[in-house]
């Protein structure tokens, strides 16, 4: 039993689906990856930041190394862009060799670049960039597509995904978790993996005295339209003045061509507080426009905020519960959790084995990459797809070139999208410059048709998020 | 009638603020504005446009209008009355679907042609694709 | 409207099927009023095969959802509703032999010109002699202005709300706040009100309405909807569905005035924040600058309608399309593509001017300007660096309404004396309400 269908929960589900075991994933939201995964900038960090010797450092480096193969196998976009951690103040130049030492201690390739070399690596950098640590192993991926591909593969191998199912308590007895009480009934389980993200401490608390606490740390990310400054690398800032609790975000290209700026970082009290604040936006834009001055003329198309699940020790927790023999915590997975996710999943499986889990491997295990989107096809393939399928001739989202068949495929997925947001995460319909002004009603119409419900019962992101009040004429 | 009625002229970007008195108007910069202001002050009228439920078509509603302007303060009543209609496709632009709306002497007219059946929402593609 | 109900419109359009291939003289992208006018004009000017591609299933662009009246006073001499205007214009184009490829999306444009289309029978590459881009405009969104707060359901652009209500028969919510007072926002406020959705108010950040006086009077005053000038929405609240917005008074620089924040409960926020020409298809090829005949910087490619300049009325859009269509027909017939001989810029008091260039073929031109001045008796000049080349006097102007200036052969001859000319506007006499707006 896995609690939480973020990228970590889905990666573990996928690993478990290689075995002949009954696996179920419980998710509170109506789609995969609605928490930290959904508010992620898609950077696959190289591992230059975590303090050497930490679990975070080890899993980050191992996870990063696993990414190219994983993404190829799952049909998920991944590009090694490399990362430049930039120093803007000459007085802080001594950070460069120090960071290089830390990177090397973590086993990460890194070198200090300055002047012409720096400009050659990233022509978009402004005059303020003094020097940088260059880590060629950094990359970018699409966190949604990765999570979806992992879940889809797991589901094809028999894993059950229970969405809109919130954990309300643990059924415990004699030092073991017997099952999980949810808003949709009780589930019995022999092993439970807690991947509940920002709420992982609350879930842990349902099984016994507190073992750790999570402090939500909020950050805003601003999305810029394609056609803005051509930034080819992941850019970060190295500074003594930064927040010591976070790498403090940066500027990075997304695999789909947008530019993402942020996130910043500040502690918040409310675990649901994903409101974007004017102050937060201003801070990230001020900070990073100094790095790439052309940003000042770029067009923002959206801003969102996410919560990172930080613990006091600032390290990942992948260990059995102190109180329950069959409960595994996978918690405190903040950045670079995406990069680390493949290694976290492998480690979680090792831990489960230590806790007594064993099952024969599944000989017929399949890999089920999501169907390729029309946009991702080359011209000849597009011609073929459009000839074969009328649904590929109807473009639903023009900004991102998403066809009706792309949307329908997401709605018929083994872990089906059921809401506007879910379709958006899987197809990008509505993520473009018009932010769904054009495609929103069209996608909603397709959802209604596929699910056999009236248009006004379609939601944005699950119960309570109704889109329309009703028909104007009954 | 009150001694004077203030009217904001809508005929040009000037947006004159006109005072209409029983025997004259003040503040208009042109003749058309004077006439418009007097009409607005004495008998303001609007063309009402809304939609009507339609069956047997790709769209659930069809747009309609009044054949002539109706008294300004009866717009909401007109929309309420029109919204009670139920139509069936096909419908043609210009087709009268309600005669003498609320006894006002104006009709309700369809403003968009809607063929019967669902095919209008499919691409009107070429025969080669059929 | 007289005659046979339905006029020549939809029947003729549906009869105009043809094979999506072969030689095409003029391919128009977009079947809104600009595209329809361009296509009809191209045929009338002698173009052989003229095709309109459009992603929608029926022609008209945004017009079918604009069910209010007031369209076409100049073109047809009567006040049509949007759907009526669309059918008239489509019928007109069909009557002169324009082909309609509805349900067809133009994915990409390339030099040649070359168009990648998907729809009809599949995906294909078309190589027409000329291309007219008439893709209209899109709405600025809350994302573009980075409006803070949560991201619940219930935030719609005015155009989306209009489509929902008028075409899809769906009510977006039950209590709405409208942010921005552009024309579409005002018109949608009235529709919401008449359909039973309470409109709490319209909030406009500037000290004057963004839309026409006519719409302020007829959409808001008529229905008792409050207009709050110098106010804006500063935050969005609600986790799943919108629960409210915070509104506040702002100063001239857009900063919130202390102590004026107020939370307004509502389940719907309609944004009317302005229109942006939709030029995506030109990205990486050329910018949106056109010459006097709507030629772009890309050979044999034209741009017209709201994609070139956000016009105030459909009549202006139609005229603009016609201009492009006529020129496209001439170039399809072999007319050499001209050089640009002068650049046209916006100077003091002028926010925007189109066309932004004059070609060597220019004999006359019609300039569309947005001004930063308002008042009566305003003078606009076209200036070379040191001297005025031409002057126009305007009776009444406002920043919310575009002005059109015509330069006949004599004036144009003078304008072409310099390689760069700038339009400037001076506010009229102060007693006549003249003043200049600073952005």
């Amino acid at each position: 039993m896995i609690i939480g269908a973020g990228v970590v929960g889905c990666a573990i589900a996928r690993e478990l689906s290689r075995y002949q075991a009954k696996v179920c994933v419980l998710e509170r939201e109506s789609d995969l990856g609605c928490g930290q995964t959904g508010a992620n900038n898609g950077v696959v960090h190289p591992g230059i930041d975590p303090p050497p010797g930490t679990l975070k450092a080890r899993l980050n480096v191992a996870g990063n190394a696993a990414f190219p193969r994983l993404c190829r196998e799952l049909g998920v976009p991944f590009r090694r862009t490399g990362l430049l951690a930039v120093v803007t103040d000459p007085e802080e130049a001594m950070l460069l060799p120090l960071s290089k030492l830390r990177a090397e201690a973590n086993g990460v390739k890194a070198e200090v670049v300055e002047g012409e070399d720096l400009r050659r690596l990233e022509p978009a950098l402004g005059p303020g960039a003094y020097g940088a640590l260059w880590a060629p192993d950094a990359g970018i991926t699409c966190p949604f597509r990765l999570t979806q591909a992992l879940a889809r593969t797991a589901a094809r191998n028999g894993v059950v995904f229970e969405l809109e199912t919130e954990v309300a308590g643990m059924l415990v007895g004699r030092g073991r978790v017997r099952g999980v009480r949810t808003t949709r009934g009780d589930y019995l389980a022999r092993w439970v993996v807690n991947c509940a993200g920002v709420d992982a401490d609350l879930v842990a608390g349902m099984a016994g005295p507190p073992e750790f606490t999570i402090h939500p740390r909020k950050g805003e990310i601003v999305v810029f339209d394609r056609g803005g400054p051509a930034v080819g690398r992941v850019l970060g800032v190295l500074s003594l003045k930064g927040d010591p609790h976070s790498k403090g975000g940066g500027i990075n290209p997304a695999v789909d061509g947008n530019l993402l700026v942020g996130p910043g970082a500040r502690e918040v009290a409310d675990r649901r507080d994903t409101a974007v604040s004017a102050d937060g936006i201003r801070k990230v834009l001020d900070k990073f426009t100094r790095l790439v001055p052309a940003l000042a003329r770029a067009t923002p198309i959206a801003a969102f905020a996410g919560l990172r699940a930080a613990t006091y020790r600032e390290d990942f927790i992948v260990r059995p519960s102190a109180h329950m023999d069959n409960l595994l915590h996978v918690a405190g997975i903040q950045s670079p959790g995406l990069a680390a996710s493949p290694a976290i999943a492998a480690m979680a499986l090792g831990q489960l084995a230590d806790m007594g889990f064993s099952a024969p491997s599944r000989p017929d295990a399949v890999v089920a990459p999501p169907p390729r989107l029309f946009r991702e096809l080359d011209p000849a393939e597009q011609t073929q797809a459009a000839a074969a399928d009328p649904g590929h001739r109807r473009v639903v989202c023009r900004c991102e070139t998403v066809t009706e068949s792309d949307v329908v495929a997401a709605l018929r997925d083994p872990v089906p999208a059921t809401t506007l947001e879910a379709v958006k995460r899987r197809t990008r319909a509505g993520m473009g410059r018009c932010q769904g002004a054009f495609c929103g009603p069209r996608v909603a119409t397709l959802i209604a048709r596929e699910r056999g419900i009236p248009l006004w019962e379609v939601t944005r992101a699950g119960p309570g998020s109704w889109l329309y009040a009703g028909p104007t004429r009954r | 009638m009150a001694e004077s009625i203030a009217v904001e002229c809508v005929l040009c970007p000037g947006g004159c603020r006109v005072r209409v008195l029983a025997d004259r108007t003040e503040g208009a910069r042109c003749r058309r504005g004077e006439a418009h202001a007097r009409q607005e002050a004495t008998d303001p009228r609007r063309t009402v446009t809304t939609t009507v439920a339609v069956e047997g078509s790709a769209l659930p509603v069809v747009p309609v209008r009044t054949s002539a302007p109706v008294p300004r303060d009866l717009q909401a009543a007109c929309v309420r009355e029109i919204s009670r209609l139920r139509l069936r496709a096909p419908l043609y632009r210009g087709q009268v679907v309600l005669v003498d709306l609320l006894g006002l002497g104006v009709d309700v007219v369809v403003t968009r042609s809607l063929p019967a059946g669902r095919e209008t929402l499919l691409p009107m593609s070429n025969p080669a694709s059929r | 409207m007289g005659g046979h109900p339905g006029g020549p419109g939809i029947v003729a359009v549906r009869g105009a099927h043809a094979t999506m291939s072969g030689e095409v003289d003029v391919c128009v992208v977009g079947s809104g009023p600009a595209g329809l006018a361009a296509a009809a004009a191209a045929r009338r000017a002698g173009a052989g095969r003229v095709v309109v591609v459009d992603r929608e299933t029926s022609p008209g662009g945004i017009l079918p959802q604009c069910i209010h009246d007031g369209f076409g006073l100049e073109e047809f001499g009567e006040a049509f509703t949007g759907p009526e205007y669309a059918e008239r214009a489509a019928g007109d184009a069909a009557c002169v032999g324009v082909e309609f490829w509805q349900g067809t999306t133009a994915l990409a444009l390339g030099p040649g010109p070359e168009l990648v289309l998907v729809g009809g029978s599949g995906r294909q590459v078309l190589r027409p002699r000329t291309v007219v881009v008439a893709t209209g405009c899109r709405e600025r969104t809350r994302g573009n202005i980075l409006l803070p707060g949560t991201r619940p359901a219930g935030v719609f652009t005015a155009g989306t709300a209009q489509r929902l209500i008028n075409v899809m028969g769906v009510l977006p919510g039950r209590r709405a706040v409208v942010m921005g007072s552009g024309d579409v926002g005002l018109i949608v406020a009235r529709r919401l009100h008449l359909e039973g959705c309470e409109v709490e108010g319209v909030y406009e950040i500037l000290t004057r309405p963004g839309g026409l006086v006519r719409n302020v009077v007829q959409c808001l005053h008529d229905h008792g909807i409050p207009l709050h000038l110098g106010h804006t929405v500063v935050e969005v609240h609600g986790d799943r569905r919108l629960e409210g917005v915070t509104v506040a008074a702002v100063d001239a620089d857009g900063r919130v005035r202390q102590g004026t924040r107020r939370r307004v409960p509502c389940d719907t926020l309609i944004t009317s924040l302005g229109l942006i020409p939709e030029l995506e298809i030109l990205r990486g090829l050329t910018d949106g600058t056109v010459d006097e005949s709507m030629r772009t910087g890309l050979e044999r490619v034209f741009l017209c309608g709201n994609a070139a300049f956000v016009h105030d009325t459909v009549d202006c859009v139609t005229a603009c399309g016609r201009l492009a269509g006529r020129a496209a027909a001439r170039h399809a017939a072999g007319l050499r593509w001209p050089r640009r001989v002068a650049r046209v810029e916006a100077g003091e008091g002028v926010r925007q001017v189109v066309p932004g260039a004059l070609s060597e073929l220019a004999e006359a031109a019609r300039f569309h300007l947005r001004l930063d001045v308002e008042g009566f008796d305003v003078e606009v000049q076209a200036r070379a660096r040191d001297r005025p080349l031409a002057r126009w006097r305007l009776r009444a102007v406002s920043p919310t309404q575009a002005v059109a200036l015509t330069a006949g052969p004599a004036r144009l001859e003078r304008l072409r004396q310099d390689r760069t000319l700038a339009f400037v506007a001076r506010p009229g006499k102060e007693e006549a309400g003249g003043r200049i707006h600073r952005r």
Side-chain angles (χ1 to χ4, degrees):
Chain A
M1 174 72 61
I2 298 168
I3 301 170
V7 68
V8 170
C10 290
I12 295 172
R14 192 269 160 124
E15 287 307 314
L16 283 171
S17 77
R18 298 175 194 270
Y19 301 93
Q20 297 179 40
K22 280 175 71 183
V23 182
C24 175
V25 182
L26 304 181
E27 170 56 49
R28 176 178 62 204
E29 300 296 334
S30 50
D31 190 25
L32 313 163
C34 289
Q36 291 183 90
T37 305
N40 191 288
N41 61 9
V43 173
V44 180
H45 286 282
I48 58 172
D49 295 301
T54 58
L55 187 57
K56 205 188 246 182
R58 182 156 64 87
L59 295 176
N60 183 353
V61 174
N64 179 295
F67 250 86
R69 198 174 145 230
L70 179 69
C71 287
R72 205 162 40 242
E73 181 186 36
L74 293 175
V76 174
F78 173 75
R79 217 167 75 219
R80 278 226 191 278
T81 54
L83 174 148
L84 290 163
V86 181
V87 167
T88 52
D89 182 349
E91 286 181 13
E92 295 180 319
M94 83 298 191
L95 286 173
L96 292 171
L98 289 178
S99 301
K100 181 171 192 289
L101 283 178
R102 178 157 71 179
E104 283 166 355
N106 286 344
V108 180
K109 271 182 283 178
E111 55 179 301
V112 175
V113 288
E114 288 170 352
E116 281 298 295
D117 292 340
L118 178 55
R119 296 292 181 302
R120 210 169 18 252
L121 277 170
E122 183 50 78
L125 279 173
Y130 173 79
L133 188 70
W134 164 240
D137 286 338
I140 51 172
T141 187
C142 173
F144 309 124
R145 297 279 281 167
L146 176 61
T147 306
Q148 189 203 350
L150 290 165
R152 187 181 157 90
T153 295
R156 276 284 154 81
N157 293 322
V159 173
V160 175
F161 284 80
E162 299 281 18
L163 303 179
E164 291 178 21
T165 307
E166 182 166 2
V167 172
M170 295 274 181
L171 311 169
V172 297
R174 278 173 289 166
R176 289 181 72 82
V177 176
R178 304 284 155 185
V180 177
R181 173 149 293 169
T182 77
T183 48
R184 300 211 309 179
D186 293 348
Y187 291 77
L188 298 182
R190 292 173 66 196
W191 284 274
V192 175
V193 186
N194 169 15
C195 306
V198 172
D199 287 341
D201 57 341
L202 302 183
V203 168
M206 292 171 184
E211 296 185 52
F212 52 86
T213 53
I214 303 274
H215 314 282
R217 185 176 294 151
K218 186 156 117 177
E220 276 88 357
I221 291 179
V222 180
V223 185
F224 284 87
D225 198 0
R226 283 191 279 262
V231 175
R233 315 290 179 188
V234 176
L235 303 177
V237 173
L238 269 183
S239 172
L240 288 171
K241 293 163 220 145
D243 181 340
H245 294 300
S246 164
K247 293 187 312 308
I251 303 177
N252 68 280
V255 285
D256 293 286
N258 298 101
L259 202 61
L260 306 187
V261 178
R266 66 184 182 284
E267 312 287 331
V268 292
D270 182 353
R271 292 164 189 265
R272 296 283 173 279
D273 177 13
T274 54
V276 172
S277 81
D279 192 48
I281 291 175
R282 196 169 48 243
K283 276 189 180 142
V284 298
L285 290 183
D286 282 355
K287 180 172 175 187
F288 297 114
T289 303
R290 256 174 270 155
L291 227 50
V292 176
L295 263 186
R297 294 186 305 275
T299 312
I301 55 173
F304 58 87
L307 298 176
R308 316 198 204 32
T311 59
Y312 269 126
R313 289 175 183 275
E314 300 290 341
D315 200 1
F316 293 166
I317 293 169
V318 184
R319 62 163 189 251
S321 158
H323 314 298
M324 299 288 151
D325 294 342
N326 61 340
L327 172 62
L328 177 67
H329 296 308
V330 182
I333 313 294
Q334 52 165 327
S335 176
L338 177 66
S341 58
I344 293 172
M347 181 172 174
L349 248 70
Q351 298 266 6
L352 282 172
D354 292 347
M355 291 157 67
F357 169 83
S358 82
S361 66
R362 186 186 290 275
D364 56 348
V366 296
V367 180
R372 287 171 72 200
L373 299 169
F374 187 76
R375 181 184 64 244
E376 297 169 335
L377 304 176
D378 67 32
E381 291 170 328
Q382 282 190 348
T383 304
Q384 219 168 16
D389 177 3
H392 274 316
R393 295 173 209 159
R394 293 193 278 273
V395 177
V396 173
C397 165
R398 187 186 35 152
C399 304
E400 301 295 314
T401 317
V402 180
T403 66
E404 183 178 313
S405 286
D406 289 337
V407 174
V408 169
L411 297 171
R412 294 179 184 170
D413 196 82
V415 189
T418 57
T419 66
L420 207 59
E421 279 291 294
V423 169
K424 172 170 147 188
R425 272 191 284 267
R426 289 155 198 242
T427 65
R428 288 186 63 81
M431 271 192 205
R433 69 187 57 84
C434 89
Q435 289 287 296
F438 176 76
C439 69
R442 286 164 173 82
V443 172
T445 304
L446 291 175
I447 294 174
R449 189 186 81 188
E450 284 291 309
R451 300 187 61 201
I453 57 175
L455 188 54
W456 40 94
E457 285 177 19
V458 177
T459 64
R460 177 182 178 275
S465 62
W466 53 278
L467 283 171
Y468 314 123
T472 58
R473 302 281 177 275
R474 297 237 177 227
Chain B
M1 182 174 160
E3 280 187 1
S4 80
I5 295 176
V7 173
E8 198 170 351
C9 181
V10 303
L11 296 181
C12 85
C16 294
R17 287 169 198 281
V18 188
R19 286 205 311 137
V20 181
L21 297 103
D23 56 339
R24 64 199 151 86
T25 64
E26 291 174 357
R29 289 183 177 83
C30 72
R31 283 283 163 128
R32 281 176 65 222
E34 278 175 21
H36 169 76
R38 183 153 297 282
Q39 171 81 34
E40 275 291 286
T42 52
D43 180 24
R45 286 181 170 260
R46 307 281 185 261
T47 296
V48 168
T49 62
T50 181
T51 62
V52 175
V54 54
E55 278 174 33
S57 157
L59 296 176
V61 290
V62 68
V64 297
R65 65 182 294 171
T66 53
S67 57
V70 302
R72 179 186 65 193
D73 298 336
L74 291 178
Q75 291 179 87
C78 288
V79 167
R80 250 194 320 277
E81 180 67 14
I82 295 169
S83 70
R84 289 152 53 143
L85 289 171
R86 294 286 177 278
L87 302 174
R88 180 159 259 300
L91 294 163
Y92 297 95
R93 172 166 59 93
Q95 190 175 333
V96 173
V97 290
L98 179 65
V99 175
D100 195 16
L101 170 66
L102 293 177
L104 294 167
V106 305
D107 302 335
V108 175
V109 175
V110 168
T111 57
R112 177 178 185 173
S113 305
L114 275 191
R118 302 194 62 83
E119 80 271 27
T120 44
L121 276 194
L122 294 173
M124 289 190 275
S125 50
N126 60 71
S129 70
R130 297 275 162 85
Chain C
M1 248 169 309
H4 163 62
I10 200 153
V11 178
V13 170
R14 294 180 69 217
H17 299 316
T19 317
M20 261 177 67
S21 61
E23 300 264 302
V24 171
D25 287 306
V26 181
C27 183
V28 179
V29 181
S31 72
L36 293 173
R43 277 288 298 161
R44 288 204 168 94
R49 189 155 179 227
V50 178
V51 165
V52 178
V53 300
D54 189 276
R55 62 173 188 238
E56 294 288 339
T57 53
S58 49
I62 214 74
L63 285 172
Q65 72 183 47
C66 304
I67 64 166
H68 55 283
D69 78 329
F71 295 93
L73 282 166
E74 282 172 41
E75 280 294 318
F76 296 103
E78 55 180 302
F80 283 131
T81 63
E84 289 168 330
Y85 192 100
E87 267 184 43
R88 281 290 288 254
D92 182 46
C95 283
V96 295
V98 170
E99 280 177 39
F100 285 82
W101 296 355
Q102 296 295 140
T104 302
T105 305
L107 294 179
L109 173 68
E114 174 180 292
L115 267 175
V116 181
L117 303 175
V118 63
S121 53
R123 179 188 183 279
Q124 61 164 321
V125 180
L126 191 76
R127 291 186 184 79
R129 292 202 173 81
T130 57
V131 168
V132 179
V133 174
T135 44
C137 50
R138 65 193 154 82
E139 298 175 279
R140 187 167 285 122
T141 67
R142 74 167 281 197
N144 292 137
I145 61 159
L146 297 173
L147 178 63
T150 54
R151 308 216 298 161
V155 182
F156 303 93
T157 64
T160 304
Q162 191 180 44
R163 183 181 159 83
L164 286 169
I165 301 167
N166 293 344
V167 179
M168 299 175 70
V170 170
L171 196 61
R174 298 184 186 93
R175 188 167 203 263
V177 160
V178 179
M179 178 182 188
S181 61
D183 286 313
V184 195
L186 300 178
I187 286 160
V188 166
R190 173 175 60 187
R191 280 299 288 150
L192 284 165
H193 169 85
L194 288 172
E195 289 296 341
C197 171
E198 183 192 350
V199 180
E200 194 274 340
V202 177
Y203 295 82
E204 170 57 55
I205 194 165
L206 300 177
T207 50
R208 58 183 154 76
L212 304 178
V213 188
R214 171 189 150 106
N215 285 328
V216 174
V217 170
Q218 299 188 355
C219 298
L220 302 187
H221 298 179
D222 272 12
H223 302 284
I225 299 170
L227 171 61
H228 305 273
L229 296 174
H231 281 69
T232 192
V233 174
V234 294
E235 193 171 354
V236 172
H237 307 285
D239 184 24
R240 305 213 147 240
R241 175 73 189 197
L242 183 70
E243 288 162 15
V245 294
T246 298
V247 297
V250 293
D251 63 22
D253 297 320
R255 277 188 303 256
V256 171
R257 287 182 200 276
Q258 286 268 307
T260 62
R261 283 172 183 267
R262 176 168 66 91
R263 184 156 166 160
V264 179
C266 59
D267 61 23
T268 303
L269 174 64
I270 304 294
T271 57
S272 176
L273 303 169
L275 302 172
I276 308 166
E278 175 60 71
L279 299 171
E280 175 63 10
I281 203 164
L282 296 180
R283 177 168 290 180
L285 297 168
T286 180
D287 62 9
T289 311
V290 291
D291 70 12
E292 75 288 344
S293 290
M294 312 312 288
R295 300 178 192 95
T296 65
L298 188 65
E299 200 166 325
R300 295 170 183 280
V301 174
F302 298 78
L303 180 68
C304 66
N306 284 347
F309 178 87
V310 179
H311 295 275
D312 287 342
T313 69
V314 71
D315 304 277
C316 295
V317 167
T318 300
C320 184
R322 205 152 41 214
L323 196 61
R326 277 192 208 120
R330 290 169 69 201
H331 287 285
L335 179 66
R336 174 179 58 87
W337 194 253
R339 278 181 311 120
R340 288 183 173 181
V341 293
R343 209 168 66 211
V344 183
E345 292 173 347
E348 176 79 13
V350 177
R351 208 179 318 162
Q352 193 193 0
V353 55
V354 167
L358 294 176
S359 83
E360 56 182 324
L361 299 177
E363 286 163 2
R366 193 171 163 81
F367 295 95
H368 298 273
L369 291 86
R370 284 210 178 265
L371 305 180
D372 279 327
V373 300
E374 83 173 314
F376 291 84
D377 206 20
V378 168
E379 182 176 278
V380 178
Q381 297 185 350
R383 295 181 63 88
R385 210 151 308 142
D386 50 350
R387 62 189 194 282
L389 300 173
R391 300 164 198 269
W392 291 262
R393 288 212 87 79
L394 301 170
R395 216 183 64 79
V397 302
S398 112
T400 56
Q401 283 191 273
V403 299
L405 306 175
T406 306
R411 262 205 183 117
L412 202 79
E413 194 53 48
R414 285 204 299 282
L415 293 185
R416 285 174 50 174
Q417 287 170 11
D418 207 311
R419 290 206 43 95
T420 303
L421 55 113
F423 277 81
V424 298
R426 307 255 160 76
K429 290 184 233 66
E430 218 159 290
E431 61 272 24
R435 66 192 161 116
I436 187 153
H437 287 269
R438 306 275 170 201
R439 274 163 293 152

